[in-house]
Each structure stands twice: as C-alpha cells, then as structure tokens.
C-alpha cells in the first residue's frame, strides 16, 4: 500500500560536488552519498527507478548507478528487474536490526504490547527517542482495518506524535524550548501544534493525565494515545502507544484507552526494573 511520506529536500550540491573525475570521490563523500541512497530507498516501500533516485538525492545518474552496483554486491540494496526499481536490501535490515537488539527490553516488551493490542483492539507500538526524534522499534498490528502512520524503523518529530509528547512532558521547559529551536514545529496537518505556547499547555495536560494524545496532528483520520516507560532513575526509557482510526478511537473512548495505556506502561516499567516518578515530582 502506498504510504504518504515526508519527503526530504533534494540535496543542494556544491559547484563541482558531483564531478565524476574528482579524485576525492572515493572517500568520505562516497560513503555519505551511499548512505543518502539507502535512506531515500527506505522512505518508500514501492522503491525507486534509477532516474527518480538520482533526482531525490540530487546526484547524477552515473554516480547513483555506480554506488548502487557496489551496494547491491553487499546486499544493502536490491534491484527488482520486473519493475526496474531499486529497494532496500536484506543486509540493510540485518544491520538496522542491531539497533532494536541493543535495546534489550524490546523482547520483554512484546507480551505487554500484545496485551495492549488485545485490550484496546488497536495497533500497539513501542518507540524510543533517537537524536531528538521518535523512532518506532516494533509494533503489534491491530486486527482491525488500520493505516500505519510510521513503519517500524521510521522517524517522526517529537512534537507531532503521541509518544513524542509523552516523553517531552517529562522534560523541563528549557529542554523542550531547545528542541523546538533545533527541530522546529512542522505542520503536518491542520491540527498540528505549531506554536510553543500551545505545546506547553498540552504538555501540562499530559502531566496531569499521565498519557499523551496525538489528535490527528500527524495524519488526518488517525489518533494515538501514549505513555512513558521509565528506567531505574525515573527517566524515560521508551514509550508505548495505541494508534487507530478516529472512527474507532472516539472522544468517548479516549479516557478509557488512556487509562489502559498508562497502566500497561506502568506494568512494563516495573518488569524492566524501572521506577515510576512520584506524583508531583519536579520535571527535568
């Protein structure tokens, strides 16, 4: 199924940056270009044709083809000869899976994600903060009709996601302001929060409730309810959430689902050796 993805801007090339005869092209520059190709391929499950990939990365077709040939030999990319499209390869998955394995709590969290899915009948997600963005580690899909917003391994802005706001609510206002300055507040839908004052009011509500809500802020028609899983220092280790269509996650269900997500997050915190923060404990 075709996904709506946030397209990255085409790389702005410096004069002469993509000249084939440049003898320096065999070093760091080639590594950077190869990684940009893999990142671009990861944006769309349907893959890219060579010319489209060149446009998306801002590189010449000859440079892209040369790098793809090397990446294909190492199985980091795969070429579908029937559709003449390039895709992410098996080796990219193998390397990327190390990230999830390093988060050794992922396997322990799976029974709680299943519990969350079964109690809510919605898709359950586990996510962490990585470089001031939310990355989805794993999920248990709902048995209902569902349009996943972010695939496993996908990234989303903290201010535009339920799990992101759940984590931000544990930060000080100073730290939140710093993230806003560095990352901005993208308008993904007409319901996205794009003003700092509105975000701070929302984070205060998250602290009172114990769970965060993404109310169609990342995609119209989808809602998400999230709560933090804490480590042994009462700091955010991860966040879990349920996500589903607004036709199922109605205004009436929000408080019920919020209590379920909050309770399961507290259970998982204890299982992982974490400590829930004391009520009224200072943020940051």
């Amino acid at each position: 199924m075709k996904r709506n993805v946030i397209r990255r801007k085409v790389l702005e090339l410096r004069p002469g940056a993509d000249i084939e005869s440049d003898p320096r092209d065999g070093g760091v520059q080639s590594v950077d270009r190869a990684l940009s190709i893999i990142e671009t391929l990861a944006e769309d499950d349907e893959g890219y044709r060579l010319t489209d990939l060149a446009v998306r990365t801002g590189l010449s077709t000859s440079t892209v083809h040369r790098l793809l040939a090397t990446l294909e030999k190492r199985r980091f990319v795969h070429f579908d000869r029937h559709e003449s499209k390039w895709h992410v390869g098996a080796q990219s998955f193998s390397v990327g899976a190390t990230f999830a394995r390093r988060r050794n709590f992922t396997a322990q969290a799976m029974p709680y994600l299943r519990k969350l899915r079964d109690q809510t009948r919605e898709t359950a997600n586990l996510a962490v903060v990585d470089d001031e963005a939310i990355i989805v580690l794993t999920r248990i899909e709902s048995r209902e009709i569902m349009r996943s917003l972010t695939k496993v391994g996908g990234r989303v802005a903290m201010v535009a996601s339920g799990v992101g706001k759940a984590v931000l609510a544990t930060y000080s206002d100073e730290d939140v302001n710093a993230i806003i300055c560095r990352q901005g507040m993208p308008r993904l839908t007409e319901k996205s929060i794009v003003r700092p004052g509105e975000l701070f009011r929302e984070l205060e509500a998250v602290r009172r409730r114990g769970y965060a809500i993404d109310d169609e802020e990342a995609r119209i028609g989808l809602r998400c309810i999230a709560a933090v899983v804490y480590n042994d220092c009462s700091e955010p280790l991860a966040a879990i959430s349920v996500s589903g269509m607004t036709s199922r996650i109605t205004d009436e269900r929000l408080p019920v689902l919020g209590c379920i997500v909050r309770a399961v997050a507290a259970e998982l915190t204890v299982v992982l050796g974490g400590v829930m923060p004391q009520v009224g404990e200072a943020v940051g």
Side-chain angles (χ1 to χ4, degrees), residues 215-226:
D215 187 10
E216 301 183 273
E217 296 156 41
R219 178 182 289 180
I220 292 297
L222 292 181
R223 276 177 167 166
C224 175
I225 303 98

Side-chain angles (χ1 to χ4, degrees), residues 3 7 20 25 27 30 38 58 67-68 74 89 94 104 129 137 159 164-165 167 192 228 232 247:
R3 298 180 294 106
R7 299 299 188 188
E20 292 297 323
D25 191 40
S30 289
I38 294 175
L67 293 170
L68 285 170
R74 302 296 296 269
S94 299
N104 56 12
V129 176
L137 288 182
V159 300
K165 289 192 292 182
V167 174
S192 297
V228 171
D232 57 352
S247 58

Side-chain angles (χ1 to χ4, degrees), residues 17-284:
D18 194 30
I19 297 176
E20 292 297 323
S21 60
D22 189 343
R24 296 170 297 174
D25 191 40
V28 175
Q29 190 178 63
S30 289
V31 174
D32 183 73
R33 290 171 172 177
L35 291 175
S36 74
I37 289 173
I38 294 175
E39 289 173 351
T40 301
L41 289 174
E43 291 179 352
D44 199 325
D45 292 342
E46 293 191 5
Y48 285 97
R49 297 181 185 276
L50 176 62
T51 53
D52 295 332
L53 193 55
V55 171
R56 289 286 297 113
T57 58
L59 302 172
S60 69
T61 53
S62 58
T63 295
V64 173
H65 186 269
R66 173 169 51 82
L67 293 170
L68 285 170
T70 300
L71 290 169
E72 186 180 29
K73 289 179 182 178
R74 302 296 296 269
R75 298 172 55 242
F76 279 93
V77 301
H78 169 71
F79 184 61
D80 185 333
R81 285 166 174 76
H82 295 290
E83 296 186 346
S84 297
K85 287 185 177 181
W86 291 90
H87 300 267
V88 169
Q91 189 63 19
S92 292
F93 172 79
S94 299
V95 172
T98 305
F99 179 83
R101 291 198 301 270
R102 186 165 58 87
R103 301 302 206 269
N104 56 12
F105 56 81
T106 304
Q108 292 174 274
M110 294 302 289
Y112 293 88
L113 293 181
R114 292 191 185 93
K115 177 179 181 179
L116 195 56
R117 189 272 310 274
D118 294 342
Q119 287 187 356
T120 65
R121 304 190 309 279
E122 305 296 344
T123 295
N125 311 282
L126 175 68
V128 295
V129 176
D130 179 64
D131 193 24
E132 297 184 349
I134 293 298
I135 181 168
V136 179
L137 288 182
T138 189
R139 67 160 44 104
I140 302 292
E141 295 284 357
S142 167
R143 296 186 177 94
E144 306 290 338
I145 296 175
M146 176 61 188
R147 295 174 298 162
S148 295
L149 173 63
T150 306
K151 65 181 180 180
V152 172
R155 303 171 69 87
V156 64
M158 294 184 74
V159 300
S161 67
V163 288
K165 289 192 292 182
V167 174
L168 284 175
T170 70
Y171 292 1
S172 67
D173 287 354
E174 181 181 2
D175 288 340
V176 174
N177 263 322
I179 291 174
I180 292 174
C181 290
R182 287 190 293 267
Q183 304 295 333
M185 301 184 71
R187 183 185 292 277
L188 304 181
T189 75
E190 63 264 27
K191 300 187 73 172
S192 297
I193 297 176
V194 295
R195 293 181 176 85
E198 185 181 354
L199 176 62
F200 285 116
R201 288 192 293 273
E202 175 68 13
L203 295 182
E204 186 56 39
V206 173
R207 295 174 188 126
R208 291 195 304 269
R209 293 191 304 253
Y211 59 87
I213 299 171
D214 164 14
D215 187 10
E216 301 183 273
E217 296 156 41
R219 178 182 289 180
I220 292 297
L222 292 181
R223 276 177 167 166
C224 175
I225 303 98
V228 171
V229 177
Y230 293 90
N231 64 15
D232 57 352
C233 297
S234 297
E235 296 174 340
L237 172 69
I240 60 173
S241 69
V242 293
S243 53
M245 300 173 69
T246 53
S247 58
R248 294 196 307 270
I249 301 182
T250 60
D251 291 344
E252 293 74 22
R253 283 191 77 200
L254 279 175
V256 176
L257 294 177
C259 290
I260 294 174
V261 174
R262 184 180 61 197
V264 174
E267 290 178 26
L268 183 55
T269 293
V270 173
V271 166
L272 296 177
V275 178
M276 295 292 295
Q278 297 297 314
V279 177
E281 184 175 317
V283 177

